[in-house]
Amino acid sequence: MGTSRTDERKTTYREALREALREAMRSDDRVFLMGEDVGRYGGCFGVSLGLLEEFGPERVRDTPLSESAFVGAGIGAALAGMRPIVEIMTVNFSLLALDQILNNAATLLHMSGGQLPVPLVIRMTTGAGRQLAAQHSHSLEGWYAHIPGIRVIAPATLEDARHMLAPALADPDPVLIFEHGVLYNASGEIGPPAASADLDHAAVRRSGTDISLITYGGSLPKVLMAADELAVDGISAEVVDLRTLRPLDGETIAASVTRTHRAVVVDEAWRTGSLAAEVSARIAEGSFYDLDAPVERVCGAECPMPYARRLEEAALPQPSDVVAAAHRAVD
Amino acid sequence: MSPAHETRTRTTAKTSEAPKAAKTPGASKRVRKSDGGSAPDRSGAAHRRDLLHAMLRIRRFEERCVELYSAAKIRGFVHLYIGEEAVAVGVNEALTPDDAVVSTYREHGHALARGIPAEAVMAEMYGRTTGCSGGRGGSMHLFDAGRRFYGGNAIVAGGIPLAAGLALADRMRGQSRVTCCFFGDGAFAEGEFHETANLAALWRLPLLFACENNRYAMGTALERHQAQTDLALRAASYGMVSWAVDGMDAEAVERAAHRAAEGIRAGAGPHFLELRTYRFRAHSMYDPDRYRDKAEIERWKAQDPIERLTDRMRERGELDDEELAAVESRIDDEVGDAVEAAERAPEEPAGSLLRHVTSAPTEVG
């Protein structure tokens, strides 16, 4: 296609997700993809482009705009031994299927006394940054992380986009994958899979000694930028990527705080009742005596996401906000 | 309710043979053609005796539940099926052990008809280890994976999309199985029904929509919760074969369910049965039942499915008092044994609380 050799090794977050889907469908004929525009359109965000041609309309299944019905159908198909991957365009739309996710997918195993595991994977986009306004931009993964019975993951890197799907499919319980919309075009070379195919552990993305910056998903690149800025100021920041929002890897969080004695939690969702609140509470519960400063939080503004670029930027955590919070904790 | 409605119900029963719609003309032809072939096998006295036994078993089980609830032996929301037995028993006759059943919170009758032992259902009401859901479900969440009985859904219409998924899996693997989804007229108002009916008809899923129209959505009468009370007519608009059936006649239900199941197995896509029935008791044990008058209940009790079948059998000389007493005695023993076993069964230890939240084993201290 006229691309150079170097370019061919480069990939994007979107392509990494697609490659993971392709691999899953090639290796297990129980796996199929179902959702809005996943087939002929190639996926609302282009993730499944080309899969219809390779696997056909039975396994790359366009659905009506009926979130509750096709998520519920995914649950039923999983109960019957299939391995469905359901794509919902955005987390905002997933609320139309919340009953199925919470009252069925997360609950059936327990309600049935262990008889009915639901090996279902649901993928959806989350987050803001593309001026899509209030009904396409919210970060509600923290709500899902509230629910026992499901696993919630948020791949932030190319490696995780490429390698977290296989263990998600191998999990006998429902796994929700949150893909931040601003990450789809992120590009680079994919590292080795060994350390990445893990749904139980947070990852330390950058080591540091002065402060722990704890985040996940779409905020990770911003937090890494903030860490770079802090390094210029002589502050050594450790960056922890939660990766799995439920169950939380409390040990990695605590170990980091034990090393650095300070923490900033960065979460694009609303501050009140957020996942950042949960992480902060865990630090207070388990690492209180290791702390040299109060835990800081940098979260999304408490308003519906606005359209105007300047307002949207103001509503979201920015690297400068993280730097300022870190300075408050360290200085 | 006006007497006119009852006339209409009876009229509907007579016309229930005719499909209201079919996605393809071939589908309805296949359905009609199968009619003659299978009917004789199921019209004998022995078969009617089985139907009667199955209905009486559900009735006596639930009457015992009322006593146990009053004695505070079982708790929670208990929704009785009394009056609707012909539906569970008739539909079950059309299903094989390979088929799947998705049920609602009013599911004792479905569970028993499906073959879940009375002991396992009763133990579940007691919240015991030996209950069919290990004590975590109670009356509203009965499950039996081995018998492909998928609950037990207490969110009205919540089981309908799930049933579509079970049917989809069969369809994708080329298995000739039927998924039967029970739900009520109340659930017919939920978006879940519309979404799933559209999906099932679009994808021609092997799904039997068994709508138990008992005329009440909790405490709200059909005329007060449905803009168009002819539910079969509305279902037909999705391109499904749809019939209204006299749900107080076990044999009529069985015939309709059998034809629908044959059509589904033949690849004609989803079928819809509006099973016009009535619950003799309140919505749940909590419900004071102030929203309907006694005369209406009495009119429907005159259509009691158990009495109707008993009368029919007596008229044909297929049943005498002695035989009936023997059936009743067998059921008494079975229900009595179930209660006794539930009383004796161990309770789940509190330490097992977090078991089955996820598949990974977890215990609390």
Side-chain angles (χ1 to χ4, degrees), chain B residues 175-214:
Chain B
Q175 280 172 305
S176 174
R177 305 198 291 198
V178 171
T179 296
C180 171
C181 183
F182 289 103
F183 58 101
D185 51 298
F188 199 94
E190 295 269 3
E192 303 273 28
F193 172 73
H194 159 70
E195 289 192 15
T196 309
N198 178 54
L199 197 74
L202 190 68
W203 291 353
R204 297 177 74 74
L205 298 179
L207 184 53
L208 173 59
F209 291 96
C211 179
E212 301 183 314
N213 177 4
N214 69 13

Tab-separated table of all heavy atoms in Angstrom, chain B residues 175-214:
chain	number	residue	atom	x	y	z
B	175	GLN	N	-28.760	-25.919	15.579
B	175	GLN	CA	-29.465	-26.894	16.414
B	175	GLN	C	-30.971	-26.685	16.320
B	175	GLN	O	-31.453	-25.561	16.336
B	175	GLN	CB	-29.005	-26.762	17.870
B	175	GLN	CG	-27.682	-27.468	18.115
B	175	GLN	CD	-27.139	-27.188	19.489
B	175	GLN	OE1	-26.973	-26.033	19.878
B	175	GLN	NE2	-26.847	-28.235	20.233
B	176	SER	N	-31.684	-27.777	16.239
B	176	SER	CA	-33.133	-27.681	16.087
B	176	SER	C	-33.786	-27.656	17.461
B	176	SER	O	-34.432	-28.597	17.881
B	176	SER	CB	-33.639	-28.873	15.275
B	176	SER	OG	-35.053	-28.850	15.243
B	177	ARG	N	-33.569	-26.566	18.172
B	177	ARG	CA	-34.136	-26.456	19.516
B	177	ARG	C	-35.003	-25.203	19.593
B	177	ARG	O	-34.816	-24.255	18.851
B	177	ARG	CB	-33.021	-26.357	20.567
B	177	ARG	CG	-32.023	-27.505	20.502
B	177	ARG	CD	-31.227	-27.636	21.778
B	177	ARG	NE	-30.298	-26.544	22.017
B	177	ARG	CZ	-29.281	-26.632	22.877
B	177	ARG	NH1	-29.080	-27.737	23.571
B	177	ARG	NH2	-28.467	-25.615	23.064
B	178	VAL	N	-35.911	-25.245	20.523
B	178	VAL	CA	-36.803	-24.103	20.738
B	178	VAL	C	-36.450	-23.467	22.073
B	178	VAL	O	-36.146	-24.161	23.036
B	178	VAL	CB	-38.278	-24.567	20.764
B	178	VAL	CG1	-39.211	-23.436	21.200
B	178	VAL	CG2	-38.689	-25.109	19.402
B	179	THR	N	-36.436	-22.141	22.121
B	179	THR	CA	-36.388	-21.450	23.406
B	179	THR	C	-37.767	-20.863	23.655
B	179	THR	O	-38.304	-20.136	22.816
B	179	THR	CB	-35.339	-20.330	23.407
B	179	THR	OG1	-34.043	-20.909	23.233
B	179	THR	CG2	-35.367	-19.565	24.728
B	180	CYS	N	-38.338	-21.223	24.783
B	180	CYS	CA	-39.666	-20.731	25.139
B	180	CYS	C	-39.528	-19.656	26.202
B	180	CYS	O	-38.914	-19.890	27.245
B	180	CYS	CB	-40.527	-21.878	25.668
B	180	CYS	SG	-42.076	-21.312	26.372
B	181	CYS	N	-40.072	-18.496	25.930
B	181	CYS	CA	-39.977	-17.395	26.883
B	181	CYS	C	-41.358	-17.039	27.408
B	181	CYS	O	-42.223	-16.587	26.664
B	181	CYS	CB	-39.355	-16.188	26.191
B	181	CYS	SG	-39.109	-14.823	27.303
B	182	PHE	N	-41.560	-17.271	28.689
B	182	PHE	CA	-42.815	-16.867	29.324
B	182	PHE	C	-42.713	-15.414	29.795
B	182	PHE	O	-41.674	-14.987	30.310
B	182	PHE	CB	-43.102	-17.743	30.548
B	182	PHE	CG	-43.499	-19.159	30.223
B	182	PHE	CD1	-42.602	-20.199	30.355
B	182	PHE	CD2	-44.790	-19.439	29.790
B	182	PHE	CE1	-42.967	-21.509	30.070
B	182	PHE	CE2	-45.170	-20.750	29.503
B	182	PHE	CZ	-44.262	-21.786	29.642
B	183	PHE	N	-43.767	-14.676	29.635
B	183	PHE	CA	-43.861	-13.323	30.192
B	183	PHE	C	-45.332	-12.937	30.232
B	183	PHE	O	-46.161	-13.608	29.608
B	183	PHE	CB	-43.043	-12.319	29.364
B	183	PHE	CG	-43.447	-12.239	27.919
B	183	PHE	CD1	-44.254	-11.203	27.464
B	183	PHE	CD2	-43.041	-13.213	27.015
B	183	PHE	CE1	-44.635	-11.141	26.124
B	183	PHE	CE2	-43.427	-13.157	25.680
B	183	PHE	CZ	-44.217	-12.124	25.235
B	184	GLY	N	-45.635	-11.870	30.934
B	184	GLY	CA	-47.032	-11.512	31.119
B	184	GLY	C	-47.482	-10.341	30.266
B	184	GLY	O	-46.688	-9.747	29.537
B	185	ASP	N	-48.761	-10.016	30.379
B	185	ASP	CA	-49.289	-8.871	29.630
B	185	ASP	C	-48.646	-7.581	30.116
B	185	ASP	O	-48.494	-6.633	29.351
B	185	ASP	CB	-50.817	-8.799	29.756
B	185	ASP	CG	-51.303	-8.866	31.194
B	185	ASP	OD1	-51.052	-9.906	31.853
B	185	ASP	OD2	-51.910	-7.900	31.684
B	186	GLY	N	-48.240	-7.539	31.391
B	186	GLY	CA	-47.538	-6.354	31.882
B	186	GLY	C	-46.232	-6.139	31.135
B	186	GLY	O	-45.897	-5.022	30.742
B	187	ALA	N	-45.513	-7.226	30.907
B	187	ALA	CA	-44.226	-7.140	30.217
B	187	ALA	C	-44.377	-6.726	28.766
B	187	ALA	O	-43.438	-6.207	28.150
B	187	ALA	CB	-43.502	-8.488	30.289
B	188	PHE	N	-45.549	-6.954	28.224
B	188	PHE	CA	-45.803	-6.594	26.831
B	188	PHE	C	-45.664	-5.075	26.622
B	188	PHE	O	-45.417	-4.606	25.507
B	188	PHE	CB	-47.210	-7.056	26.437
B	188	PHE	CG	-47.438	-7.162	24.956
B	188	PHE	CD1	-47.251	-8.373	24.307
B	188	PHE	CD2	-47.831	-6.061	24.210
B	188	PHE	CE1	-47.458	-8.477	22.937
B	188	PHE	CE2	-48.037	-6.163	22.845
B	188	PHE	CZ	-47.848	-7.371	22.202
B	189	ALA	N	-45.815	-4.306	27.701
B	189	ALA	CA	-45.692	-2.847	27.590
B	189	ALA	C	-44.244	-2.382	27.631
B	189	ALA	O	-43.954	-1.217	27.350
B	189	ALA	CB	-46.485	-2.172	28.712
B	190	GLU	N	-43.330	-3.276	27.993
B	190	GLU	CA	-41.928	-2.877	28.118
B	190	GLU	C	-41.257	-2.825	26.741
B	190	GLU	O	-41.582	-3.608	25.845
B	190	GLU	CB	-41.166	-3.894	28.986
B	190	GLU	CG	-41.633	-3.959	30.429
B	190	GLU	CD	-40.877	-3.004	31.340
B	190	GLU	OE1	-40.030	-2.253	30.834
B	190	GLU	OE2	-41.145	-3.011	32.556
B	191	GLY	N	-40.281	-1.935	26.626
B	191	GLY	CA	-39.501	-1.859	25.391
B	191	GLY	C	-38.779	-3.152	25.075
B	191	GLY	O	-38.516	-3.470	23.915
B	192	GLU	N	-38.442	-3.902	26.097
B	192	GLU	CA	-37.754	-5.182	25.915
B	192	GLU	C	-38.518	-6.073	24.939
B	192	GLU	O	-37.926	-6.761	24.120
B	192	GLU	CB	-37.643	-5.934	27.248
B	192	GLU	CG	-36.955	-5.171	28.345
B	192	GLU	CD	-35.463	-5.362	28.319
B	192	GLU	OE1	-34.924	-5.613	27.239
B	192	GLU	OE2	-34.839	-5.248	29.389
B	193	PHE	N	-39.832	-6.092	25.086
B	193	PHE	CA	-40.613	-6.952	24.190
B	193	PHE	C	-40.493	-6.461	22.753
B	193	PHE	O	-40.216	-7.226	21.833
B	193	PHE	CB	-42.087	-7.051	24.589
B	193	PHE	CG	-42.882	-7.788	23.541
B	193	PHE	CD1	-42.749	-9.160	23.409
B	193	PHE	CD2	-43.669	-7.108	22.627
B	193	PHE	CE1	-43.400	-9.854	22.388
B	193	PHE	CE2	-44.323	-7.785	21.604
B	193	PHE	CZ	-44.184	-9.162	21.492
B	194	HIS	N	-40.678	-5.189	22.573
B	194	HIS	CA	-40.582	-4.637	21.213
B	194	HIS	C	-39.196	-4.897	20.612
B	194	HIS	O	-39.086	-5.381	19.479
B	194	HIS	CB	-40.875	-3.139	21.224
B	194	HIS	CG	-40.332	-2.421	20.036
B	194	HIS	ND1	-40.850	-2.591	18.781
B	194	HIS	CD2	-39.269	-1.594	19.900
B	194	HIS	CE1	-40.142	-1.875	17.917
B	194	HIS	NE2	-39.184	-1.269	18.575
B	195	GLU	N	-38.169	-4.586	21.365
B	195	GLU	CA	-36.808	-4.761	20.845
B	195	GLU	C	-36.550	-6.224	20.472
B	195	GLU	O	-35.951	-6.514	19.433
B	195	GLU	CB	-35.769	-4.322	21.898
B	195	GLU	CG	-35.714	-2.825	22.118
B	195	GLU	CD	-34.489	-2.400	22.925
B	195	GLU	OE1	-33.551	-3.198	23.080
B	195	GLU	OE2	-34.473	-1.258	23.412
B	196	THR	N	-36.983	-7.118	21.328
B	196	THR	CA	-36.691	-8.529	21.096
B	196	THR	C	-37.570	-9.115	20.001
B	196	THR	O	-37.105	-9.944	19.198
B	196	THR	CB	-36.849	-9.323	22.400
B	196	THR	OG1	-36.100	-8.669	23.422
B	196	THR	CG2	-36.329	-10.743	22.244
B	197	ALA	N	-38.826	-8.695	19.939
B	197	ALA	CA	-39.706	-9.189	18.878
B	197	ALA	C	-39.137	-8.780	17.521
B	197	ALA	O	-39.089	-9.583	16.573
B	197	ALA	CB	-41.116	-8.636	19.066
B	198	ASN	N	-38.685	-7.557	17.448
B	198	ASN	CA	-38.092	-7.068	16.196
B	198	ASN	C	-36.844	-7.877	15.838
B	198	ASN	O	-36.691	-8.340	14.706
B	198	ASN	CB	-37.751	-5.581	16.366
B	198	ASN	CG	-37.081	-4.999	15.144
B	198	ASN	OD1	-37.609	-5.094	14.033
B	198	ASN	ND2	-35.914	-4.410	15.332
B	199	LEU	N	-35.971	-8.044	16.816
B	199	LEU	CA	-34.717	-8.777	16.592
B	199	LEU	C	-35.002	-10.235	16.200
B	199	LEU	O	-34.414	-10.773	15.256
B	199	LEU	CB	-33.883	-8.737	17.871
B	199	LEU	CG	-32.413	-9.081	17.760
B	199	LEU	CD1	-31.660	-7.938	17.114
B	199	LEU	CD2	-31.841	-9.332	19.159
B	200	ALA	N	-35.912	-10.859	16.926
B	200	ALA	CA	-36.197	-12.283	16.701
B	200	ALA	C	-36.826	-12.507	15.330
B	200	ALA	O	-36.500	-13.468	14.633
B	200	ALA	CB	-37.110	-12.810	17.805
B	201	ALA	N	-37.721	-11.603	14.944
B	201	ALA	CA	-38.365	-11.752	13.638
B	201	ALA	C	-37.358	-11.450	12.520
B	201	ALA	O	-37.310	-12.136	11.504
B	201	ALA	CB	-39.574	-10.834	13.544
B	202	LEU	N	-36.534	-10.425	12.749
B	202	LEU	CA	-35.509	-10.036	11.768
B	202	LEU	C	-34.528	-11.182	11.511
B	202	LEU	O	-34.172	-11.459	10.374
B	202	LEU	CB	-34.767	-8.827	12.335
B	202	LEU	CG	-33.790	-8.053	11.462
B	202	LEU	CD1	-34.533	-7.321	10.357
B	202	LEU	CD2	-33.023	-7.044	12.325
B	203	TRP	N	-34.117	-11.832	12.579
B	203	TRP	CA	-33.111	-12.899	12.483
B	203	TRP	C	-33.759	-14.291	12.428
B	203	TRP	O	-33.048	-15.289	12.439
B	203	TRP	CB	-32.138	-12.822	13.669
B	203	TRP	CG	-31.245	-11.619	13.638
B	203	TRP	CD1	-31.117	-10.695	12.630
B	203	TRP	CD2	-30.325	-11.203	14.659
B	203	TRP	NE1	-30.193	-9.739	12.972
B	203	TRP	CE2	-29.682	-10.020	14.204
B	203	TRP	CE3	-29.979	-11.707	15.915
B	203	TRP	CZ2	-28.726	-9.341	14.969
B	203	TRP	CZ3	-29.022	-11.039	16.678
B	203	TRP	CH2	-28.404	-9.870	16.197
B	204	ARG	N	-35.066	-14.338	12.403
B	204	ARG	CA	-35.812	-15.618	12.351
B	204	ARG	C	-35.330	-16.589	13.428
B	204	ARG	O	-35.001	-17.755	13.149
B	204	ARG	CB	-35.715	-16.234	10.953
B	204	ARG	CG	-36.358	-15.349	9.878
B	204	ARG	CD	-36.217	-15.910	8.486
B	204	ARG	NE	-37.100	-17.047	8.244
B	204	ARG	CZ	-38.415	-16.951	8.051
B	204	ARG	NH1	-39.013	-15.785	8.104
B	204	ARG	NH2	-39.124	-18.020	7.808
B	205	LEU	N	-35.321	-16.114	14.632
B	205	LEU	CA	-34.812	-16.929	15.739
B	205	LEU	C	-35.834	-17.988	16.159
B	205	LEU	O	-37.041	-17.734	16.119
B	205	LEU	CB	-34.473	-16.040	16.938
B	205	LEU	CG	-33.379	-15.001	16.697
B	205	LEU	CD1	-33.150	-14.177	17.958
B	205	LEU	CD2	-32.078	-15.661	16.252
B	206	PRO	N	-35.358	-19.150	16.589
B	206	PRO	CA	-36.268	-20.218	17.031
B	206	PRO	C	-36.809	-19.951	18.444
B	206	PRO	O	-36.425	-20.592	19.410
B	206	PRO	CB	-35.381	-21.466	16.994
B	206	PRO	CG	-33.992	-20.952	17.203
B	206	PRO	CD	-33.948	-19.585	16.588
B	207	LEU	N	-37.685	-18.984	18.510
B	207	LEU	CA	-38.126	-18.470	19.809
B	207	LEU	C	-39.646	-18.522	19.906
B	207	LEU	O	-40.354	-18.071	19.000
B	207	LEU	CB	-37.623	-17.025	19.938
B	207	LEU	CG	-37.844	-16.266	21.231
B	207	LEU	CD1	-37.340	-17.031	22.434
B	207	LEU	CD2	-37.151	-14.910	21.160
B	208	LEU	N	-40.123	-19.072	21.007
B	208	LEU	CA	-41.570	-19.101	21.272
B	208	LEU	C	-41.887	-18.046	22.330
B	208	LEU	O	-41.472	-18.171	23.486
B	208	LEU	CB	-41.999	-20.492	21.757
B	208	LEU	CG	-43.450	-20.634	22.226
B	208	LEU	CD1	-44.440	-20.272	21.127
B	208	LEU	CD2	-43.711	-22.061	22.732
B	209	PHE	N	-42.588	-17.016	21.937
B	209	PHE	CA	-43.050	-16.006	22.888
B	209	PHE	C	-44.345	-16.524	23.510
B	209	PHE	O	-45.365	-16.592	22.816
B	209	PHE	CB	-43.332	-14.684	22.183
B	209	PHE	CG	-42.115	-13.969	21.656
B	209	PHE	CD1	-41.708	-14.102	20.334
B	209	PHE	CD2	-41.390	-13.119	22.480
B	209	PHE	CE1	-40.603	-13.418	19.850
B	209	PHE	CE2	-40.277	-12.445	22.000
B	209	PHE	CZ	-39.882	-12.581	20.687
B	210	ALA	N	-44.295	-16.900	24.769
B	210	ALA	CA	-45.491	-17.404	25.448
B	210	ALA	C	-45.991	-16.321	26.395
B	210	ALA	O	-45.525	-16.198	27.529
B	210	ALA	CB	-45.163	-18.693	26.201
B	211	CYS	N	-46.906	-15.515	25.889
B	211	CYS	CA	-47.394	-14.359	26.661
B	211	CYS	C	-48.596	-14.777	27.489
B	211	CYS	O	-49.652	-15.095	26.955
B	211	CYS	CB	-47.757	-13.219	25.712
B	211	CYS	SG	-48.399	-11.772	26.576
B	212	GLU	N	-48.407	-14.787	28.785
B	212	GLU	CA	-49.498	-15.150	29.690
B	212	GLU	C	-50.293	-13.898	29.984
B	212	GLU	O	-49.913	-13.099	30.841
B	212	GLU	CB	-48.921	-15.708	31.000
B	212	GLU	CG	-48.059	-16.925	30.789
B	212	GLU	CD	-47.551	-17.504	32.101
B	212	GLU	OE1	-47.080	-16.736	32.960
B	212	GLU	OE2	-47.617	-18.727	32.248
B	213	ASN	N	-51.364	-13.719	29.243
B	213	ASN	CA	-52.200	-12.547	29.476
B	213	ASN	C	-53.194	-12.886	30.576
B	213	ASN	O	-54.249	-13.444	30.316
B	213	ASN	CB	-52.910	-12.161	28.176
B	213	ASN	CG	-53.847	-10.987	28.379
B	213	ASN	OD1	-53.916	-10.414	29.475
B	213	ASN	ND2	-54.569	-10.629	27.334
B	214	ASN	N	-52.810	-12.530	31.810
B	214	ASN	CA	-53.734	-12.795	32.923
B	214	ASN	C	-54.533	-11.537	33.275
B	214	ASN	O	-55.123	-11.445	34.327
B	214	ASN	CB	-52.994	-13.386	34.126
B	214	ASN	CG	-52.057	-12.386	34.797
B	214	ASN	OD1	-52.119	-11.176	34.528
B	214	ASN	ND2	-51.193	-12.869	35.661
